[in-house]
Amino acid sequence: MKILAVALLVLLAIFLVLYVTLIGRRRLAQRTTDLVPRPPAVPGTDPSGVAETGSVRFGPLEAVYVSTTLHGDWLARVGAHGLGDRSSSLVSVHDGGVLIEREGADDLWVPVHALRGTSLAPGMAGKYVGADGLVVLTWAVPEADGVAAALVDTGLRTRRAEDRGALVDAVRHLLATQQQPAQQDPQQYPHQQDPHQQDPHQQEAR
């Protein structure tokens, strides 16, 4: 009987943990649904069978998709549209943008016209690795379904350390070869913070 009682208590504890986790994820998704639009769909192929993502410039390489956060606040994880779901992925840079193929989650397409920059960082919500362990893409999710455009940061942890700098260089080269977008009006993203107002090295990942 004691063994049965202990087993039931363990099962109850597991259920409570899963329940609390699920509720937390749902609340996070609800809070950010009105802040961040649904990301653009991954382009398909044209009638001739050519991929509309454009030619591959770099990759694919193995990486962990860590999270996406509101720009300038690397603890403000975006739970909407599966953007807060950590997953293994393949990352490649194309003429048309950056493709993140995720396992167990929707693939993420960052069009070149939406990219604002890239850098290395020590961590963000869900992952803290220190030094320059994460590649961060800063991009603007286009307006969709009545939700205003939002500036976000997407974090990637490449499997091989040497790939981080190479990925950053590939994205920067892509940006350099494209017509640069006009300077964004800070008031366009009223809920976003200036990233220079915060020091990510002093933040702790959730």
Side-chain angles (χ1 to χ4, degrees):
M1 293 296 294
K2 290 184 178 180
I3 296 177
L4 179 60
V6 170
L8 290 175
L9 287 174
V10 170
L11 289 175
L12 178 60
I14 294 174
F15 172 78
L16 289 175
V17 169
L18 293 176
Y19 178 77
V20 170
T21 301
L22 179 60
I23 292 300
R25 288 168 63 92
R26 286 181 176 177
R27 288 178 177 175
L28 178 63
Q30 291 173 352
R31 288 199 303 268
T32 52
T33 296
D34 295 332
L35 295 178
V36 179
R38 183 174 296 280
V42 179
T45 56
D46 63 20
S48 63
V50 177
E52 295 179 344
T53 55
S55 301
V56 177
R57 289 170 167 258
F58 178 77
L61 54 85
E62 296 180 3
V64 173
Y65 170 91
V66 175
S67 185
T68 291
T69 65
L70 298 180
H71 178 57
D73 186 353
W74 289 354
L75 296 180
R77 181 166 53 187
V78 177
H81 320 303
L83 292 175
D85 297 342
R86 181 176 173 177
S87 59
S88 298
S89 65
L90 289 176
V91 182
S92 51
V93 179
H94 300 249
D95 287 338
V98 180
L99 177 61
I100 305 172
E101 301 172 272
R102 302 193 292 166
E103 292 184 8
D106 291 339
D107 295 342
L108 183 61
W109 171 247
V110 182
V112 63
H113 61 75
L115 279 167
R116 298 294 180 263
T118 184
S119 61
L120 295 174
M124 66 190 333
K127 188 74 172 179
Y128 186 87
V129 294
D132 294 326
L134 295 185
V135 175
V136 177
L137 304 177
T138 297
W139 59 292
V141 186
E143 178 181 358
D145 302 324
V147 181
L151 207 58
V152 299
D153 295 315
T154 293
L156 301 165
R157 170 78 166 170
T158 61
R159 185 176 69 83
R160 300 191 310 165
E162 56 267 31
D163 287 337
R164 293 168 205 150
L167 177 57
V168 168
D169 288 344
V171 174
R172 288 177 176 172
H173 186 264
L174 173 64
L175 285 171
T177 58
Q178 301 296 321
Q179 180 178 0
Q180 296 299 311
Q183 183 69 29
Q184 296 296 316
D185 183 350
Q187 296 181 353
Q188 183 176 359
Y189 309 102
H191 61 279
Q192 313 275 296
Q193 299 182 14
D194 185 340
H196 299 293
Q197 294 177 352
Q198 299 190 21
D199 183 359
H201 292 269
Q202 297 177 354
Q203 295 180 335
E204 294 181 2
R206 290 177 180 170

